[in-house]
Amino acid sequence: MPFRRPVTIMRMLYHALYWSIGYAVTLSQFKRALADYPGTDLLYLVNTHHFLSTLLSFGLLGYIVIPYILYHERTMKKRVAMLMGACVIYYALLSVNTYVLLRYVEAHFSNLPPYLARRVTMFSAAHWYDYVIDPSIAFFIYGHFISYLTIPLLIKAVRDGYARSRLQQQAEKKRRQLEYDKLALENEGIVKDLHFLRQQINPHFLLNAFNNIYTMIHRKDGRAADTLVNLSTLMRYTLYRTGNDFVPLSDELTFINGYIDMERIRHSRTDAVSCQLPYASTELKQWQVPPLLLVTFIENAFKHGLNAVYEGGWVRISLSTNPSEGRLTLSVVNNRPETPPAPKEGGLGLANARRRLALLFSPQEYELIIKDQPDQFVVWLSIPLRHVGETIETTKRTYEHAHPMLTH
């Protein structure tokens, strides 16, 4: 819909005041021009005709023609053409209006004052093309009508421009508020999702650990007590150190080593588990990774690989960091049992890991390759390392990924 300012009582009063003043001003001007004519009939006829013509022109141009041309979606070339056409038509209507007035005055009034007598003679003797080429006619029409429209049309243009600007600012403010509210809801959803995923990971890991300890107790293995102490340390980490989206890499490596050591206790073969992890040095404390993300893939390899293969099972784990590029790479490979195990409840590990990766990183930041082969299962993951001093804005990254045209 075209732009329209609301009609208010104050606006109507301003219009009434302005046009009343305009009527009084033109009346005083015509009094001087028609001073030689006795009586007031001709004076009020000419002034009222001028007033009504000007008021009608203002309403037609200011509220219909100009808004129709300017306030609709059009090309600049089409707008210019329409404006030129409107000017030609309006000038033609004013010419006819002036001609009709002067012929009426000539027919109904005698002994006209010089001001009107000259105009009556000029318009009566003019041919149609004189209205285009005769400057005297054009100047009279301009001075008698068009000049009086300049000020009210300019005032309306300024007021409309100001109102349109305010309206656009309010619309932009509302759009930004809606965008902010949407972003806040997305942020709240992301936080809840990550918290929910962590709550799923912790009990899942705890259940597997208790199964391991139960197996050793059932075998009357003296290492069960050491395993239980190790589990206590690991659970303390999961309970008190994993509340944030990112934790120091050194702490996560200590946790992964403890988990792998606990799994090694279950298996007598020394070659069953091959592990290459960097030492959890002080230098690695400056880097951060998502908590309990990497161990999800390692846990999955033990659960569905080594622990499911009764003879000859193995797991190969390799983790490396590249501080210069700020990246971490994890490779986990395990062999598969010859007979696929019966379906079990769960399967949350890999699904949760995929979901967390999607929430924490954009697709350009990480790479996850999973190969489910007949004889082995391969996981290869590459993620960026976050510096401890770096501000992590999970929502911002997710928003930039969802709206690339707004952020690039």
Side-chain angles (χ1 to χ4, degrees), residues 198-251:
R198 282 198 295 267
Q199 292 302 314
Q200 287 183 311
I201 292 171
N202 295 345
H204 187 224
F205 169 75
L206 182 62
L207 178 62
N208 288 343
F210 281 149
N211 287 337
N212 294 345
I213 296 175
Y214 173 79
T215 301
M216 286 187 288
I217 292 175
H218 184 70
R219 295 175 181 175
K220 298 181 180 181
D221 192 331
R223 294 174 298 175
D226 295 335
T227 305
L228 189 60
V229 172
N230 191 15
L231 175 62
S232 176
T233 302
L234 298 181
M235 290 309 301
R236 187 178 297 110
Y237 174 77
T238 62
L239 289 174
Y240 301 111
R241 301 298 303 277
T242 61
N244 298 324
D245 293 338
F246 291 84
V247 295
L249 175 58
S250 57
D251 295 347

Side-chain angles (χ1 to χ4, degrees), residues 36-37 42 102 105-117 120:
D36 298 335
Y37 188 83
L42 181 60
L102 294 177
V105 168
E106 182 184 20
H108 292 82
F109 296 90
S110 58
N111 299 321
L112 294 176
Y115 173 80
L116 284 179
V120 168

Side-chain angles (χ1 to χ4, degrees), residues 106-137:
E106 182 184 20
H108 292 82
F109 296 90
S110 58
N111 299 321
L112 294 176
Y115 173 80
L116 284 179
R118 291 195 300 271
R119 273 69 181 181
V120 168
T121 303
M122 178 175 61
F123 275 80
S124 299
H127 298 87
W128 68 267
Y129 51 81
D130 291 325
Y131 288 88
V132 179
I133 63 175
D134 190 343
S136 300
I137 295 178

Side-chain angles (χ1 to χ4, degrees), residues 274-288:
S274 173
C275 180
Q276 296 180 359
L277 299 178
Y279 174 70
S281 62
T282 306
E283 180 182 358
L284 295 182
K285 286 183 177 292
Q286 65 177 321
W287 298 105
Q288 296 185 120

